[in-house]
Amino acid sequence: NGERMEFYLEDLIKLLLAVLAGGLVGLEREFRDKSAGFRTLIFIAIGSTAFTIVSARLSPESDPNRIAANIVTGIGFLGAGAILRDGPRIIGLTTAATIWLTAALGMAIGGGQYWLAGMLVVVSSIVLWLFPFFEIHIDKTREEHSYEVALPLHLEKVETIEAKMRALGLRVHRSHHIKRDGEMHCTWGVSGSPKKHDEFMHFLFADPDVKEFHY
């Protein structure tokens, strides 16, 4: 009975740690109003912890790799449900990865790897809370815009504009040129800092050959 009580206490501790770990990761997702939030990630952590405990208890001679593989497969369905297409963008990838990570947290706790679980919580919290500020800064230094410009029928003018883009440090991702109504209509997809985009717009405004452009 004493040994059984020891098992029960250890299991309870593992489940409580799973609640804590899942809650800490889920706070950020809940704060940002994501599809998998506070309670969802707690349940994922508890579930993966419980599966790890029960699998090891029912079949102590079984290969632990089979336990991990089955949990990862099941979690993959949850993660896939969080990934959605929003027009040209794919959203939910971070939430899906967080679901996957939370399952790993639960497995580590269920297997008694408390230090590993603690390090995972710390690292994931840093990535979820602090890294978005770096992403915002990076996005501000690299904006992508589309320019539609009407020019005279001179290929040299197109080359001059593209040379100006390169001189400003703007990067051309796509370009399309057509002849219409006696004019050259050019479209460029360009990325660079907001300052560089402003300089390029001033260049287009000042160029007398640019009959029309859309930004």
Side-chain angles (χ1 to χ4, degrees):
N1 289 335
E3 184 178 351
R4 180 173 296 180
M5 287 297 296
E6 184 179 344
F7 268 129
Y8 290 158
L9 179 59
E10 184 180 2
D11 294 344
L12 178 60
I13 292 173
K14 288 180 177 180
L15 292 175
L16 291 175
L17 288 175
V19 172
L20 177 62
L24 288 174
V25 177
L27 277 175
E28 187 273 345
R29 296 287 87 186
E30 189 74 28
F31 176 76
R32 301 187 192 281
D33 196 25
K34 300 301 181 179
S35 55
F38 185 68
R39 291 180 300 172
T40 303
L41 293 179
I42 287 177
F43 278 127
I44 290 171
I46 293 175
S48 56
T49 299
F51 275 121
T52 304
I53 293 172
V54 172
S55 299
R57 191 73 50 78
L58 292 178
S59 183
E61 302 299 326
S62 65
D63 183 3
N65 292 329
R66 293 177 59 189
I67 302 171
N70 288 325
I71 294 175
V72 170
T73 301
I75 287 299
F77 287 100
L78 284 177
I83 301 174
L84 302 170
R85 178 179 290 277
D86 182 17
R89 300 187 307 132
I90 301 296
I91 61 175
L93 289 172
T94 302
T95 300
T98 305
I99 291 172
W100 182 61
L101 174 69
T102 306
L105 270 172
M107 292 169 61
I109 293 170
Q113 304 296 317
Y114 304 120
W115 280 105
L116 175 60
M119 287 188 290
L120 283 173
V121 170
V122 171
V123 171
S124 60
S125 296
I126 291 173
V127 171
L128 288 171
W129 285 104
L130 298 183
F131 277 37
F133 296 102
F134 294 104
E135 290 181 345
I136 292 173
H137 178 71
I138 292 171
D139 289 341
K140 286 182 178 179
T141 60
R142 185 183 176 278
E143 292 183 354
E144 183 169 348
H145 294 286
S146 179
Y147 294 91
E148 299 178 18
V149 184
L151 299 168
L153 285 174
H154 301 299
L155 288 177
E156 296 81 2
K157 193 63 188 180
V158 175
E159 294 172 356
T160 300
I161 290 178
E162 292 182 346
K164 182 63 176 180
M165 293 178 184
R166 291 192 295 270
L168 289 173
L170 294 171
R171 183 178 178 184
V172 178
H173 296 282
R174 62 185 183 278
S175 62
H176 181 65
H177 312 302
I178 61 172
K179 176 183 176 182
R180 185 174 63 216
D181 299 329
E183 295 178 341
M184 181 78 77
H185 291 261
C186 306
T187 303
W188 290 279
V190 183
S191 65
S193 68
K195 180 181 178 181
K196 300 301 182 182
H197 281 293
D198 288 342
E199 292 181 18
F200 183 61
M201 279 200 301
H202 291 153
F203 167 77
L204 293 177
F205 273 119
D207 192 327
D209 289 332
V210 175
K211 300 181 178 181
E212 179 183 349
F213 81 89
H214 300 277
Y215 172 69

